[in-house]
Amino acid sequence: MKIIQLFGISAFASLAFLGSCKPKGTETAVSGDAAEKVYVAPGKYDEVYNFVSGGFNGQMNVYGLPSGRLLKVVPIFSVNPENGYGYSEETKPMLETSHGFIPWDDQHHLELSQTNGEQDGRWIFANANNTPRVARVNLKTFRTEEIIELPNSAGNHSSPFITENTEYVVAGTRFAVPTDDMNGDVPINSFKENFKGVISFIGVNKETGDMNLSFQIEAPGVNFDLSHAGKGKSHGWFFFSCYNSEQANSLLEVNASQNDKDFIMAVNWKKAEEYLKAGKGRKVKTQYAHNKFDEKTQTATSKMEQEVTVLSAKELKDICYFMPTPKSPHGCDVDPTGEYIVGSGKLAALIPVHSFSKMLKAIENKEFAGEYDGIPILKYESTLYGEVQKPGLGPLHTEFDGKGNAYTSFFVSSEVVKWDIKTLKVLDRQPTFYSVGHLMVVGGDTKKPYGKYLVAYNKITKDRFLPTGPELTQSAQLYDISGDKMKLLLDFPTFGEPHYAQAVPASLIKDQQVKFYNIADNKHPYATKGEAESKVVRQGNKVHVYMTSIRSHFAPDNIEGIKVGDEVYFHVTNLEQDWDVPHGFAIKGNQNAELLIMPGETSTLKWVPKKPGMYPMYCTDFCSALHQEMQGYVRVSPAGSNVPLTYSLNNKADNAKSPVKTAVTK
Amino acid sequence: MKIIQLFGISAFASLAFLGSCKPKGTETAVSGDAAEKVYVAPGKYDEVYNFVSGGFNGQMNVYGLPSGRLLKVVPIFSVNPENGYGYSEETKPMLETSHGFIPWDDQHHLELSQTNGEQDGRWIFANANNTPRVARVNLKTFRTEEIIELPNSAGNHSSPFITENTEYVVAGTRFAVPTDDMNGDVPINSFKENFKGVISFIGVNKETGDMNLSFQIEAPGVNFDLSHAGKGKSHGWFFFSCYNSEQANSLLEVNASQNDKDFIMAVNWKKAEEYLKAGKGRKVKTQYAHNKFDEKTQTATSKMEQEVTVLSAKELKDICYFMPTPKSPHGCDVDPTGEYIVGSGKLAALIPVHSFSKMLKAIENKEFAGEYDGIPILKYESTLYGEVQKPGLGPLHTEFDGKGNAYTSFFVSSEVVKWDIKTLKVLDRQPTFYSVGHLMVVGGDTKKPYGKYLVAYNKITKDRFLPTGPELTQSAQLYDISGDKMKLLLDFPTFGEPHYAQAVPASLIKDQQVKFYNIADNKHPYATKGEAESKVVRQGNKVHVYMTSIRSHFAPDNIEGIKVGDEVYFHVTNLEQDWDVPHGFAIKGNQNAELLIMPGETSTLKWVPKKPGMYPMYCTDFCSALHQEMQGYVRVSPAGSNVPLTYSLNNKADNAKSPVKTAVTK
């Protein structure tokens, strides 16, 4: 067969090294005091919150450092049957998109909100790669509060990076596509003509964190990969790496690896704002979902937006500039001063460092090497501060410790390398096991890194942990970077696939936690604020159960008169007002997940019973010594039955004080 | 309101102690060498696999001990968007039930298969609590291979406990319900008349592990809570704890806590087998799903079974006996010799230990205290070996170290207590933080415990870890039990809600792992065993894409001519033949999860595009340095379009060797 002869395995022998190399000396050198350094004694707190992307699990995983313990999985883009996220009536709207409800995505990067280039501990933003979206998680509740879909985009990879006062979250398109006002139904081989790489600027409200899609920039159809905002002196600019400047649409492993240099695109977003104000954008009709969770009603709503303003980089010549960068650049990282922009070309054998000051001068002096699809290309020498020579193979990402050092991950040579930003000299290198992708220094992409720890997020673990069949864990490795040399402290497996991560000292966040919701503030339309108010209401074939839960019973806990064909909505209010006393709720045979209801909260589970019978319901979260007793029954009768709809708690024949009540019918 | 006056919070003040007590002295005493004892250096393996139930996450979590590191989450009863479990066409049938497809359940107990009362490392069984089911996971692949639904049951809690040669997995009903041959549509207050507690005996094939529902025993309508098989001398018997001997159907926290003693039910299952053979069972018409994953075709099928044989404990007087046990017994544990049956009454202030030998004699001598719903009640004194006095408050579960010691968890007084099985003397106690449910000793419910480690699985963590909003992690605590006194070594948070757990020395399992699937053995009907065989086939509105993945491209990677209204099935075969090289697959806007395809495996993702456009697809698992290049495009045209269905890899105008191919239409 022709294709396999050309592009089968054998043809790629020369690329075999790109798989991964086992570092030489698989004997792991570990610091002698490593055990003591990572041990967090029972009852003691970790020093750092580490927010790690879940990759293809779609969630955010929160670890403690230095212990490497998984403290929480925050559901963002994937349904979470465990606590009802994406299954409860309140949270279903969070996963709505212009394509309908989507139960999954691929979550790659996380960015903590900043004020003046420093972490402020308010929110963390997350991207969805597959169906382009950006989410905001509140760091007081560890809940996803908002998700906004991105039109004109695909493969939302260089996202969600932020400006130094969280003015914008940006998102760049990895898989170029026709914009939504073109007919997307075009031949794939019309790529160069029709496909674009659109960059989105999402404005963030300073007080509330609410996001809106402020504008987009239409850029050439290349693959935007990663990005970082300028800071300090370079505040007002954004930098995006791209590959596939060849604009290939098939077999990219060969066809997008032809050019010796691709680009970092510098975007003058302050200038873009001026053009926007001046009405230079075109209004593009499209559809994108904007989903918000309201903490007062504890309910999400999904709104379909209809329009976005797009600025053309080709027409507005002075908002985008291309800086040539070898080869297939992946990471695009800006040092704490804002002067140095590090491009890590995954097929390069050196690390180029661009100078922001030189770039400004080069633009001023028009030191151009030509144009790419209408965008000025700056001369490589004109923007280059220098190159780190022989750093390793396959550089991917760089972070900083605030002491003048940079740390770069190398996928192919499987190591992390420390180098001096000013001298560009390599200072130290440590192997990773195996094939590190991102790395992270605590606060390492801000103006004021906390330093101390570096974590490498590895793609391959093979023989590093007890094996678990064909599907193995991915992993993280913790290094102490407080001294001159990096010291490996710990391997810990990760949940999902770790891509980027960020971390903050625990002190910034731990004392602001919401412990429970004040029942008095609960504005949920179906809240039941005391057992006295519990009731059952029929509206046609919809039955609303206003239910309460408190240790250790539901009210009501006996319901009769549900009929096949009914849609039953259990609106369960957790009356507890103390920390760490959730109640769960589930009913047998329900084609749905459970609810996990926090104290003071109301959540709703829909149930459409399919056959007559006796259906137990119960509390799924071990809440007290009498948790096992926290149960009830719902009787379902055939359609057309005349069993009246009634409900009760503790009805007994001899107890006239706890009568069976008849449901209200509206 | 009447109900709240009677049963509101204030009325339960006397039960407040049942919530949880903070152990005295919150200063945690930790062994001085704890850090060294739990530290597993990078590249070293843990000593023990710890299989921990996920509780309300529905999955099984595999930890390494002593490090407490989460090695893997094995999806069983809940969908897992991360790897496509419950979303791929191959795995959807695993979650079918008589109620339809269910995306979630509540997974409480795990039991490793045994031969001669010892762990054999072949399978682990898991229960679903909400919609009664039992699953079997293969410990060579860490995959769920089989799930069987249980008719006539609800609240499948005392499950899946096994006999000493894995002859049977048993499962008892926690929420009594009418059996399926009665009309389930009966008044709830006809509980005493109509509701039954059915016990299921699931036979397990010695060679293959295949399960079948051999028979059920209809027992009185009480709440069967936990169970364990006899072993050694008591092999042939099974023991089930129950509460709610009051047969309350509402407000059980009050109404099911009235009797000073409930029961442990002893079941002579060898005798039951004789009755079964003699045709004493009644055939009950019902429906229950039986789902199997076939490793050869890598595809699950779901079959709806129609009948089960039920033996009546009331009619067949000598298969079930009630042993009175104080108060609301929860755990029901049998020591390694099979002689001692420990009942832990969660509202009791002592631990009763029954003697199997005494029980046999009492049965022989008819030392009955009466009958309960037709079942003989043995006299408490007649079966009692003795009582552990003042052990703590709220005993729940007991395991054994094989050296004559028992370890019991106490929820209310929040501690684990070591005591001597023979003398019944308390030997040691250690606080837990907080409110331990189950505990586990490695191999602690077998004839030959491994001992060394004990883990307490705690329900409340409150101030033990960095806080994460209202929803906090649950946790485990690791103790060294190799010496006379238990030593606390480590706290580690858990994923989901840990109930029961089991553990094995790593040596029993680690060398039997399947590393990848041999492509030659792949019998999947849509497998594509080389790029030469990749193709696209249209059958009406169904489009089958026979696709391959290998580092780092899909074949084909350009597809045109899909139309709105089509159902597209991507059958992706991972051609890799090495460990730890999965490929992922996702396509933009799909209302579905991703696929994560192991080497040699074929998986299928369904996609029903809703609007015309250009849809990128890509590999979601970082597979090589050119992983970012592993992408393709699918063009979707409007319904009725005449764009022909074509596919290609690396088609270029100047390359006649890689033509665009036209799909076959059947």
Side-chain angles (χ1 to χ4, degrees):
Chain A
M1 199 271 197
K2 309 294 179 187
I3 292 174
I4 206 162
Q5 284 168 1
L6 278 173
F7 309 104
I9 307 167
S10 61
F12 293 133
S14 63
L15 296 179
F17 83 95
L18 296 173
S20 74
C21 297
K22 210 159 172 170
K24 279 178 194 169
T26 49
E27 291 300 309
T28 308
V30 179
S31 172
D33 55 355
E36 292 296 336
K37 280 193 168 172
V38 302
Y39 184 68
V40 176
K44 303 289 183 194
Y45 284 174
D46 274 290
E47 179 183 350
V48 164
Y49 283 95
N50 186 195
F51 302 97
V52 184
S53 73
F56 49 55
N57 82 13
Q59 320 292 41
M60 176 176 77
N61 306 316
V62 185
Y63 291 85
L65 296 180
S67 71
R69 297 180 296 183
L70 177 59
L71 302 173
K72 187 178 179 65
V73 176
V74 179
I76 302 179
F77 295 113
S78 294
V79 296
N80 193 41
E82 172 174 342
N83 70 356
Y85 182 81
Y87 292 98
S88 72
E89 294 305 299
E90 288 78 7
T91 57
K92 279 180 188 171
M94 292 303 282
L95 299 179
E96 286 294 335
T97 73
S98 63
H99 304 270
F101 179 92
I102 295 186
W104 169 87
D105 215 304
D106 183 16
Q107 199 286 297
H108 273 228
H109 308 119
L110 295 163
E111 276 274 317
L112 289 153
S113 59
Q114 295 183 13
T115 299
N116 193 28
E118 297 177 38
Q119 297 170 334
D120 59 20
R122 303 172 76 191
W123 309 295
I124 190 162
F125 299 90
N127 73 323
N129 226 3
N130 186 48
T131 301
R133 286 168 288 170
V134 165
R136 180 174 52 84
V137 174
N138 185 333
L139 291 179
K140 291 179 182 165
T141 58
F142 282 66
R143 277 195 171 175
T144 303
E145 284 194 335
E146 191 172 10
I147 295 181
I148 191 166
E149 192 181 358
L150 301 173
N152 300 316
S153 304
N156 175 43
H157 196 263
S158 49
S159 164
F161 296 94
I162 62 164
T163 54
E164 71 177 25
N165 292 300
T166 319
E167 292 95 340
Y168 291 109
V169 176
V170 306
T173 287
R174 179 167 137 216
F175 307 129
V177 285
T179 52
D180 293 351
D181 53 349
M182 299 186 53
N183 183 356
D185 174 24
V186 298
I188 299 171
N189 66 11
S190 73
F191 187 106
K192 290 180 190 184
E193 179 187 346
N194 289 323
F195 288 40
K196 302 294 173 192
V198 166
I199 308 286
S200 301
F201 282 76
I202 301 162
V204 179
N205 183 292
K206 276 186 187 179
E207 305 304 322
T208 62
D210 286 345
M211 302 189 286
N212 71 85
L213 182 51
S214 303
F215 64 95
Q216 294 185 315
I217 295 175
E218 184 181 298
V222 293
N223 290 33
F224 289 107
D225 206 7
L226 282 153
S227 64
H228 264 102
K231 47 174 85 87
K233 62 165 72 168
S234 53
H235 179 58
W237 287 78
F238 231 105
F239 305 95
F240 294 84
S241 62
C242 71
Y243 61 104
N244 194 21
S245 57
E246 299 86 350
Q247 298 195 314
N249 59 271
S250 181
L251 199 66
L252 267 65
E253 70 174 313
V254 173
N255 298 323
S257 303
Q258 302 298 311
N259 294 344
D260 283 340
K261 291 194 179 67
D262 297 274
F263 303 114
I264 285 175
M265 182 171 79
V267 179
N268 185 341
W269 58 263
K270 294 259 186 190
K271 179 64 80 176
E273 280 182 331
E274 287 171 23
Y275 284 125
L276 186 72
K277 271 192 195 161
K280 298 289 187 188
R282 83 177 192 273
K283 305 278 186 193
V284 172
K285 294 284 173 204
T286 180
Q287 287 208 312
Y288 60 99
H290 190 173
N291 313 328
K292 284 190 194 181
F293 185 82
D294 178 340
E295 199 175 287
K296 285 177 193 151
T297 60
Q298 298 165 349
T299 301
T301 49
S302 178
K303 185 184 171 191
M304 200 62 72
E305 306 281 0
Q306 304 292 336
E307 192 181 78
V308 62
T309 304
V310 179
L311 301 170
S312 166
K314 199 170 181 173
E315 289 171 16
L316 308 168
K317 292 274 182 198
D318 55 353
I319 55 173
C320 292
Y321 300 90
F322 277 146
M323 296 192 283
T325 302
K327 177 177 184 174
S328 298
H330 189 63
C332 181
D333 300 288
V334 180
D335 91 308
T337 69
E339 169 62 13
Y340 302 106
I341 300 130
V342 181
S344 297
K346 66 193 180 218
L347 302 181
L350 54 77
I351 305 173
V353 179
H354 296 286
S355 154
F356 177 71
S357 313
K358 287 187 74 176
M359 183 197 83
L360 284 188
K361 265 187 213 156
I363 291 171
E364 202 181 327
N365 301 335
K366 299 194 191 310
E367 296 170 29
F368 299 139
E371 282 197 350
Y372 181 92
D373 205 5
I375 310 296
I377 302 175
L378 295 162
K379 287 183 179 163
Y380 183 57
E381 320 74 76
S382 298
T383 64
L384 189 73
Y385 171 71
E387 293 168 344
V388 183
Q389 296 297 330
K390 296 190 181 172
L393 290 173
L396 292 188
H397 303 280
T398 301
E399 293 227 329
F400 309 92
D401 65 4
K403 301 179 199 165
N405 302 305
Y407 300 82
T408 301
S409 58
F410 290 82
F411 179 85
V412 177
S413 55
S414 195
E415 58 190 331
V416 290
V417 174
K418 176 181 179 178
W419 50 277
D420 185 295
I421 306 174
K422 284 277 164 56
T423 66
L424 306 178
K425 298 283 184 224
V426 170
L427 303 173
D428 189 24
R429 58 179 71 238
Q430 283 290 328
T432 60
F433 304 90
Y434 305 100
S435 297
V436 58
H438 279 272
L439 55 66
M440 176 217 76
V441 173
V442 184
D445 80 340
T446 71
K447 275 177 163 176
K448 291 203 176 165
Y450 179 79
K452 188 165 178 180
Y453 297 115
L454 178 150
V455 184
Y457 299 95
N458 302 325
K459 300 304 177 189
I460 297 169
T461 55
K462 232 162 205 164
D463 55 5
R464 300 293 287 182
F465 300 100
L466 284 178
T468 56
E471 194 180 334
L472 302 176
T473 185
Q474 299 193 24
S475 86
Q477 289 189 285
L478 177 72
Y479 299 82
D480 178 346
I481 57 166
S482 58
D484 285 346
K485 298 290 176 187
M486 298 179 281
K487 290 179 184 170
L488 176 60
L489 298 178
L490 181 70
D491 276 25
F492 61 97
T494 58
F495 184 56
E497 186 203 19
H499 285 271
Y500 191 44
Q502 296 217 325
V504 289
S507 57
L508 189 65
I509 291 180
K510 74 176 169 55
D511 298 327
Q512 69 181 12
Q513 295 308 302
V514 171
K515 297 184 175 178
F516 56 86
Y517 299 103
N518 189 330
I519 190 84
D521 297 337
N522 181 334
K523 305 292 182 206
H524 192 295
Y526 292 94
T528 310
K529 296 195 178 181
E531 289 185 7
E533 295 168 29
S534 66
K535 62 185 174 183
V536 177
V537 175
R538 176 180 285 283
Q539 290 180 303
N541 74 329
K542 290 187 170 54
V543 176
H544 293 277
V545 180
Y546 293 72
M547 182 180 273
T548 61
S549 64
I550 196 160
R551 281 165 288 183
S552 292
H553 61 282
F554 295 106
D557 71 358
N558 280 194
I559 299 173
E560 306 203 359
I562 302 294
K563 288 177 267 189
V564 172
D566 284 346
E567 290 177 7
V568 183
Y569 295 86
F570 294 99
H571 308 284
V572 187
T573 301
N574 180 346
L575 296 177
E576 310 280 355
Q577 290 286 273
D578 194 3
W579 205 13
D580 204 9
V581 196
H583 289 290
F585 178 83
I587 188 159
K588 179 183 167 182
N590 195 5
Q591 293 188 268
N592 207 336
E594 68 158 4
L595 296 176
L596 195 62
I597 315 138
M598 296 301 121
E601 186 185 22
T602 304
S603 296
T604 303
L605 194 69
K606 183 179 175 180
W607 176 48
V608 185
K610 293 212 170 153
K611 49 189 180 185
M614 187 59 63
Y615 291 84
M617 56 189 176
Y618 71 107
C619 174
T620 56
D621 190 11
F622 210 110
C623 55
S624 79
L626 290 167
H627 158 73
Q628 290 289 85
E629 280 73 7
M630 193 163 174
Q631 66 162 84
Y633 286 102
V634 181
R635 172 187 178 186
V636 175
S637 302
S641 155
N642 55 14
V643 173
L645 185 61
T646 58
Y647 60 98
S648 62
L649 173 66
N650 200 35
N651 175 63
K652 297 191 228 178
D654 61 350
N655 189 346
K657 286 182 179 173
S658 55
V660 173
K661 298 195 167 196
T662 303
V664 174
T665 300
K666 283 185 180 172
Chain B
M1 200 268 198
K2 309 295 180 186
I3 291 173
I4 206 162
Q5 284 171 359
L6 278 171
F7 309 105
I9 309 167
S10 61
F12 292 133
S14 62
L15 295 179
F17 84 95
L18 297 173
S20 74
C21 298
K22 210 159 171 170
K24 279 177 194 169
T26 50
E27 290 301 309
T28 308
V30 179
S31 172
D33 55 356
E36 292 296 336
K37 282 193 168 172
V38 303
Y39 184 68
V40 177
K44 302 291 182 192
Y45 284 175
D46 274 290
E47 178 183 352
V48 164
Y49 283 96
N50 186 195
F51 302 96
V52 184
S53 72
F56 48 56
N57 81 12
Q59 320 293 41
M60 176 175 77
N61 306 317
V62 185
Y63 291 85
L65 297 180
S67 72
R69 296 181 297 184
L70 177 59
L71 302 173
K72 188 177 177 66
V73 177
V74 179
I76 303 178
F77 295 112
S78 293
V79 296
N80 193 40
E82 172 173 343
N83 71 355
Y85 182 82
Y87 292 98
S88 72
E89 295 304 299
E90 288 78 6
T91 56
K92 279 180 189 172
M94 292 303 283
L95 299 179
E96 286 293 334
T97 72
S98 64
H99 304 270
F101 179 92
I102 295 185
W104 169 87
D105 215 306
D106 183 16
Q107 200 286 298
H108 273 228
H109 309 117
L110 295 163
E111 275 274 317
L112 288 153
S113 60
Q114 294 183 12
T115 299
N116 193 28
E118 296 177 38
Q119 295 169 335
D120 58 22
R122 302 172 78 192
W123 309 296
I124 191 162
F125 299 90
N127 73 322
N129 226 2
N130 186 47
T131 302
R133 286 169 287 171
V134 165
R136 180 174 53 83
V137 174
N138 185 334
L139 291 179
K140 291 179 181 164
T141 57
F142 281 66
R143 277 194 170 176
T144 303
E145 285 195 334
E146 192 173 8
I147 296 180
I148 192 166
E149 190 181 359
L150 301 173
N152 301 316
S153 303
N156 175 43
H157 195 263
S158 49
S159 165
F161 297 93
I162 62 164
T163 54
E164 71 177 25
N165 292 299
T166 319
E167 293 95 339
Y168 291 109
V169 176
V170 306
T173 289
R174 179 168 138 217
F175 307 129
V177 284
T179 53
D180 294 351
D181 54 349
M182 297 185 55
N183 182 356
D185 173 25
V186 298
I188 300 171
N189 66 12
S190 73
F191 187 107
K192 291 181 188 182
E193 178 189 346
N194 289 323
F195 287 40
K196 300 295 172 191
V198 166
I199 308 285
S200 300
F201 281 75
I202 301 162
V204 179
N205 183 293
K206 275 185 187 177
E207 305 303 321
T208 62
D210 286 344
M211 301 189 287
N212 71 85
L213 182 52
S214 303
F215 63 93
Q216 295 185 315
I217 296 175
E218 184 181 298
V222 293
N223 290 35
F224 289 107
D225 205 7
L226 282 153
S227 65
H228 265 101
K231 47 175 84 86
K233 62 165 71 169
S234 53
H235 179 58
W237 288 78
F238 231 106
F239 306 94
F240 294 85
S241 62
C242 72
Y243 60 105
N244 194 21
S245 58
E246 298 87 349
Q247 299 193 315
N249 59 273
S250 180
L251 198 65
L252 267 64
E253 71 174 312
V254 173
N255 298 323
S257 303
Q258 302 299 310
N259 294 344
D260 283 340
K261 291 194 179 68
D262 298 274
F263 303 114
I264 285 176
M265 182 171 79
V267 178
N268 185 341
W269 58 262
K270 294 260 185 187
K271 179 63 81 177
E273 279 182 330
E274 288 171 23
Y275 285 125
L276 187 71
K277 272 192 193 160
K280 297 290 188 187
R282 81 176 194 272
K283 306 278 186 193
V284 172
K285 294 285 174 204
T286 179
Q287 287 208 314
Y288 60 100
H290 190 174
N291 312 328
K292 284 190 194 182
F293 185 82
D294 178 340
E295 200 175 287
K296 285 177 192 151
T297 60
Q298 298 163 350
T299 301
T301 48
S302 179
K303 185 183 171 193
M304 201 60 72
E305 307 280 0
Q306 305 291 335
E307 191 181 79
V308 61
T309 305
V310 179
L311 301 169
S312 166
K314 198 170 179 173
E315 289 170 16
L316 308 168
K317 292 276 180 194
D318 54 353
I319 55 174
C320 293
Y321 300 90
F322 277 146
M323 297 193 283
T325 302
K327 177 178 186 173
S328 297
H330 189 63
C332 180
D333 300 287
V334 179
D335 90 308
T337 68
E339 169 62 12
Y340 302 106
I341 302 129
V342 181
S344 297
K346 66 192 180 218
L347 302 181
L350 54 78
I351 304 173
V353 179
H354 296 286
S355 155
F356 178 71
S357 313
K358 287 187 75 177
M359 184 198 82
L360 285 186
K361 263 187 212 156
I363 291 170
E364 201 183 327
N365 299 335
K366 299 194 190 312
E367 297 170 28
F368 299 141
E371 281 196 350
Y372 180 93
D373 205 4
I375 310 295
I377 301 174
L378 294 163
K379 287 181 180 165
Y380 182 57
E381 320 73 77
S382 298
T383 64
L384 189 74
Y385 171 71
E387 293 168 342
V388 183
Q389 296 296 331
K390 295 190 181 172
L393 289 173
L396 291 188
H397 304 279
T398 301
E399 293 228 328
F400 308 92
D401 64 5
K403 301 178 200 166
N405 302 306
Y407 301 81
T408 301
S409 58
F410 290 81
F411 179 85
V412 176
S413 56
S414 194
E415 59 188 331
V416 289
V417 174
K418 177 180 179 179
W419 51 277
D420 186 293
I421 307 173
K422 284 277 164 59
T423 67
L424 306 178
K425 298 282 185 221
V426 170
L427 302 174
D428 189 24
R429 60 180 69 236
Q430 285 289 331
T432 61
F433 304 90
Y434 305 98
S435 298
V436 58
H438 279 272
L439 54 67
M440 176 217 74
V441 172
V442 184
D445 79 339
T446 71
K447 274 177 162 175
K448 289 202 177 166
Y450 179 78
K452 188 164 179 181
Y453 297 115
L454 178 150
V455 184
Y457 299 95
N458 303 325
K459 299 304 177 189
I460 296 168
T461 55
K462 231 161 208 167
D463 55 8
R464 300 293 289 182
F465 301 100
L466 284 177
T468 55
E471 195 181 333
L472 301 176
T473 184
Q474 301 194 23
S475 86
Q477 290 189 285
L478 177 71
Y479 298 82
D480 177 348
I481 58 165
S482 58
D484 284 346
K485 297 290 176 186
M486 298 179 281
K487 289 180 186 170
L488 176 61
L489 298 178
L490 181 70
D491 276 26
F492 61 97
T494 58
F495 184 57
E497 185 203 18
H499 283 271
Y500 191 42
Q502 295 217 326
V504 289
S507 56
L508 188 67
I509 290 180
K510 74 177 169 55
D511 298 327
Q512 69 180 13
Q513 295 309 301
V514 171
K515 295 183 176 179
F516 55 87
Y517 299 104
N518 189 331
I519 190 85
D521 297 337
N522 180 335
K523 305 290 182 208
H524 192 293
Y526 291 95
T528 310
K529 297 195 177 181
E531 288 186 7
E533 295 168 32
S534 66
K535 63 184 174 183
V536 177
V537 176
R538 176 181 285 284
Q539 291 181 302
N541 74 329
K542 289 188 170 57
V543 176
H544 293 278
V545 181
Y546 293 72
M547 182 179 273
T548 62
S549 64
I550 196 161
R551 280 165 287 182
S552 292
H553 62 282
F554 295 105
D557 71 358
N558 280 193
I559 300 172
E560 307 204 359
I562 303 294
K563 288 177 268 190
V564 172
D566 283 347
E567 290 177 8
V568 183
Y569 295 86
F570 294 98
H571 308 285
V572 186
T573 300
N574 180 345
L575 296 177
E576 311 279 355
Q577 290 287 271
D578 195 3
W579 205 13
D580 204 9
V581 197
H583 289 290
F585 179 83
I587 188 159
K588 179 184 167 182
N590 195 4
Q591 294 187 268
N592 207 338
E594 69 158 3
L595 296 176
L596 195 62
I597 315 140
M598 296 301 121
E601 186 185 22
T602 304
S603 296
T604 302
L605 194 69
K606 182 179 177 180
W607 176 48
V608 185
K610 294 214 171 150
K611 49 187 181 186
M614 187 59 62
Y615 291 85
M617 55 189 176
Y618 71 106
C619 175
T620 56
D621 191 11
F622 209 110
C623 55
S624 80
L626 290 168
H627 158 72
Q628 290 290 86
E629 281 72 7
M630 193 163 174
Q631 66 162 86
Y633 286 102
V634 181
R635 172 186 178 187
V636 175
S637 302
S641 155
N642 54 14
V643 173
L645 185 61
T646 59
Y647 60 98
S648 63
L649 173 67
N650 200 35
N651 176 65
K652 297 192 230 178
D654 61 349
N655 189 346
K657 287 184 179 172
S658 56
V660 173
K661 300 198 166 192
T662 302
V664 174
T665 299
K666 285 188 179 170

